[in-house]
Each structure stands twice: as C-alpha cells, then as structure tokens.
C-alpha cells in the first residue's frame, strides 16, 4: 500500500537483511517499515539494533504488524519504533507513511 511514483520502495526478506543493507548504505534510507514476525532477526531486535547506532537517531521507523496486543505495541515503541501500525488498517498505514 505504500507505492508512489516519487518513492523508491525496497523490500527485503527479514530483519537481518534489512540491518545489513542499512549498515552497508547508512545514508540511503529515509524510512524503515518493518514487520515484527520475521526469520533470523525479528522487528523488535531490528529496532533495538538500529537505535543503538547514533547515526540513526532520527531515521523514522514504523512497525507494520498483525500483532495488535498493547503489550507488543508498547514494546515496539520502547525499543525504537516511532509508530506501531496494524497491517489490516490500510488507511492508517498510508497516513503513517505519508
């Protein structure tokens, strides 16, 4: 739901791949949208690792997940996500990314 002509969207397979790409090109990305449930490195671990690196203090991070429990939302925000959005709400997803 986040395709726009003026945006370049890059999709990776899991948190580990996302983290590696970010480390290889630290100035390339303007936003990270991450699922929580992923192999190798989940979204919580990805957020924690990204936020440990001061270069990414201002890089926006959005969790896009089906995990709607308040516990998970609070954990995501605590670990570094700026927003925690439930996947099924397409309108909210679009508004958050914009």
């Amino acid at each position: 739901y986040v395709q726009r002509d003026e945006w370049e969207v890059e999709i990776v397979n899991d948190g580990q791949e996302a983290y590696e790409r970010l480390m290889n090109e630290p100035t390339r990305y303007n936003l990270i949208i991450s699922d929580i449930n992923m192999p190798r490195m989940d979204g919580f671990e990805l957020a924690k690792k990204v936020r440990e690196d001061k270069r990414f203090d201002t890089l926006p991070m959005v969790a896009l997940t089906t995990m709607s429990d308040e516990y998970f939302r609070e954990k995501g925000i605590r670990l570094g996500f700026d927003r925690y959005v439930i996947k099924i709400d397409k309108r909210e997803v679009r508004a958050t990314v914009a």
Side-chain angles (χ1 to χ4, degrees), residues 32-96:
I32 294 174
I33 301 172
S34 176
D35 198 349
I36 298 299
N37 291 319
M38 296 183 289
R40 296 198 305 160
M41 181 188 298
D42 69 23
F44 293 132
E45 187 178 349
L46 174 62
K48 183 177 183 285
K49 287 185 75 147
V50 169
R51 292 303 185 215
E52 286 173 349
D53 190 322
K54 296 300 178 195
R55 294 177 296 174
F56 307 117
D57 282 350
T58 61
L59 178 64
M61 293 185 66
V62 176
L64 182 58
T65 182
T66 59
M67 298 174 68
S68 60
D69 189 87
E70 185 65 19
Y71 166 79
F72 295 117
R73 188 193 74 74
E74 289 175 5
K75 180 178 180 178
I77 298 299
R78 184 177 69 250
L79 290 174
F81 285 106
D82 298 292
R83 296 286 306 273
Y84 192 94
V85 181
I86 306 306
K87 283 183 187 179
I88 58 174
D89 189 344
K90 289 182 183 179
R91 193 172 309 161
E92 170 112 11
V93 170
R94 287 185 185 122
T96 298

